[in-house]
Amino acid sequence: MSGARPAAAGAPGDGGGIRGRLLARSARLRDTPPGPGYKWVALSNTTLGVLIATMDASIVIISLPAIFRGIGLDPLAAGNIGYLLWMILGYLLVSAVLVVVLGRLGDMFGRVRIYNLGFLVFACASVALSLDPFRAGAGALWLILWRIVQAFGGSMLTANSAAILTDAFPARQRGMALGINQITALAGQFLGLLAGGLLAAVDWRAVFWVSVPVSITGTIWSYLSLRETSVGGRGRVDWLGNITFACGAGILLAGITYGIQPYGGHSTGWTNPWVLSGLFGGLFLLLVFGYVETRVPEPMFRLSLFTVRAFAAGNLAALLTAIARGGLQFMLIIWLQGIWLPLHGYDFEDTPLWAGIFMLPLTLGFLIAGPVSGYLSDRFGARLFSTAGLLLVAASFLGLLALPVDFDYGAFATLLLLNGLGQGMFSAPNTSSIMGSVPARYRGVASGMRSTFQNSGTALSIGVFFSLMVSGLAGTLPRTLAAGLHAHGVPAGTAHEVASLPPVSTLFATFLGNNPIGHLLGSGGTLEQLTAAQRATLTGHTFFPELVSGPFHHGLTIVFGVAAGMALVSALASALRGGHERADDDTPTSGHDTKGQPSCRTARSS
């Protein structure tokens, strides 16, 4: 036994406890070469990691009504909308900002080491979330802060999982392995919606309880089974690059987040000086970051990788597809919860759960197409499958555009299945193409960069598509709502006042599974002044959905039209990625020029 292993067991901070013993066990594994079955261990463990990380990114969306009721806070009341936005977006913003940094640290200090630590951080945060001791604003802040810590652990998992798999699997099986891993991550986003609806019906804390046993099991398993199969390269941390990127991306995404809130007399906040300062300040810092990365000897964000055509085209396609996919997710939730499900007799309070159930064809499409296309792309290349998949995604968006608001579910489910199949066909081969196009020593940072584009796209989608929808509603919803309320006994002044509220309030009310009219009229006591018949009509299953279906479809046309256009641009980028080529990583210096930078020299895979 070398002297390094006892030090691992008694490292500062672990107190020789469980983590110390796990580290000692992990250290002993380093000297043992991995057997032929190790790649399957790596696949199963990293798939579990990305599944729980992505599920927790979306699990609170459906369960937000139960969470806020549990802590005694009305998220739609004046001054509380910030709690709502940060509960939804805090996890996404942290994930978008930190994954590339953590991927770079994985290259430097060991991908498995950073991945294992991520599981441990994620487990601790999951326990803290389930034990929220506060109520009202303090309870919301507790949840938001620990969600940010949880996102930090989740980013360690997602930033290094693809690199670990790329190291563990030979090139001929890499697409299949990355396909399973990537599609599990995408499916986790939608399975989180279903799990959130089911668990919130039991207890709001159960939404966080579910992560505890999974993350603890994953932590122990990863420390005992995973091992470093690549040679880490210790280097200097690019502090200036880290700071400028984190601040720039964080400020920019936060500005976009607050841009969907009303400001002054406008339905959105894009004229708010603070929002504009965030947008331009964030862009300026990102430009500074780009300059810094061309000057430091060991950059965090290796811009020279974009000279590899497959890497650049694949990430552009991934960014645009993530924006379109995020917009689809949120628009479908509003469509189902605010209009279709109530029209078919479902109570507003039950719509979050049923929305997750009725969106299952989308997840099914991911799970079918992802592993199959990943396996076939190992033989025939990524370009064919990823491009065809994106064309299928664009066609499904156009199909959704043609549906009436009160659609036939069979046609709706078919289009969701086609969209899921298309995204599965794209995502798995695209990830394999990106990861296989870079030299082995940069796989960690490449994985982080890929995750950054994907997570940033999801965060951007909320600002982009909510703004498009709000803009579409702002022109028609106020007068339609005012006329409908006045026609059913609401005084003209009250009807006009309610109709003048920002459309985003109505969208969030349906998004949270609240009865929109009950929420809009209940606080002022207007409902009590109406007859029982009028109250029953206004708060019934059909009044609000029929009232807003016209304005909503107008906004939906804009949203899905833009999403279809993004999918077509993504398909073009995918088609231009080049042939079926991989970086030659047979030697430590392959794929690099004499300065150690990634070169475009690749070797055609067999």
Side-chain angles (χ1 to χ4, degrees), residues 523-550:
S523 58
T526 304
L527 286 176
E528 284 72 18
Q529 302 172 16
L530 305 177
T531 66
Q534 289 172 331
R535 287 198 301 270
T537 299
L538 289 172
T539 59
H541 291 156
T542 59
F543 175 77
F544 178 79
E546 290 176 350
L547 189 70
V548 302
S549 59

Side-chain angles (χ1 to χ4, degrees), residues 67-75 79-80 83-84 87 132-144 204-205:
I67 292 173
F68 281 112
R69 282 195 301 269
I71 62 176
L73 185 72
D74 180 5
N80 289 343
Y83 294 131
L84 173 64
M87 278 292 292
D132 187 352
F134 303 110
R135 290 183 59 78
L141 285 175
W142 174 280
L143 295 176
I144 290 169
W204 72 269
R205 295 182 188 272

Side-chain angles (χ1 to χ4, degrees), residues 7-30:
D14 62 43
I18 295 176
R19 181 172 179 266
R21 290 193 292 273
L22 290 175
L23 287 171
R25 164 80 181 199
S26 179
R28 287 194 294 271
L29 287 173
R30 292 175 198 148

Side-chain angles (χ1 to χ4, degrees), residues 282-411:
L283 287 173
F284 174 76
L285 287 174
L286 289 178
L287 290 174
V288 173
F289 164 74
Y291 176 80
V292 168
E293 297 304 271
T294 63
R295 295 294 185 269
V296 297
E298 298 182 41
M300 176 195 77
F301 209 101
R302 201 160 284 275
L303 298 177
S304 54
L305 289 177
F306 288 106
T307 62
V308 181
R309 185 167 57 167
F311 183 85
N315 277 302
L316 174 60
L319 173 65
L320 294 176
T321 304
I323 296 175
R325 181 173 57 249
L328 174 69
Q329 173 178 311
F330 285 99
M331 292 307 111
L332 289 182
I333 291 173
I334 294 172
W335 193 355
L336 288 170
Q337 293 184 191
I339 298 178
W340 192 84
L341 286 168
L343 283 177
H344 289 258
Y346 294 86
D347 292 334
F348 282 98
E349 292 76 12
D350 297 332
T351 56
L353 169 61
W354 287 102
I357 293 173
F358 279 109
M359 288 167 61
L360 281 177
L362 188 64
T363 303
L364 181 62
F366 294 152
L367 297 177
I368 292 173
V372 173
S373 61
Y375 172 78
L376 293 176
S377 70
D378 287 330
R379 297 187 58 189
F380 303 108
R383 181 165 57 177
L384 171 64
F385 294 96
S386 59
T387 305
L390 288 170
L391 292 175
L392 188 59
V393 169
S396 68
F397 276 124
L398 296 176
L400 289 169
L401 197 60
L403 286 180
V405 173
D406 188 11
F407 50 78
D408 173 74
Y409 182 72

Side-chain angles (χ1 to χ4, degrees), residues 259-260 266-270 463-478 502-504 507 551-552 554-556 558-559:
I260 68 176
H266 302 280
S267 58
T268 58
W270 298 112
V464 171
F465 288 107
F466 262 91
S467 294
L468 290 173
M469 176 59 73
V470 167
S471 298
L473 290 176
T476 52
L477 180 61
V504 71
L507 285 182
F552 179 80
H554 175 67
L556 205 62
I558 299 173
V559 167

Side-chain angles (χ1 to χ4, degrees), residues 77-135:
N80 289 343
I81 196 73
Y83 294 131
L84 173 64
L85 284 175
W86 282 104
M87 278 292 292
I88 298 173
L89 293 174
Y91 193 102
L92 295 176
L93 293 179
V94 172
S95 299
V97 169
L98 288 181
V99 284
V100 69
V101 179
L102 297 168
R104 170 61 178 152
L105 292 178
D107 285 340
M108 293 172 58
F109 301 107
R111 294 154 191 168
V112 169
R113 176 178 295 178
I114 300 298
Y115 177 89
N116 290 348
L117 183 59
F119 243 138
L120 184 62
V121 171
F122 194 93
C124 293
S126 298
V127 173
L129 283 165
S130 67
L131 300 176
D132 187 352
F134 303 110
R135 290 183 59 78

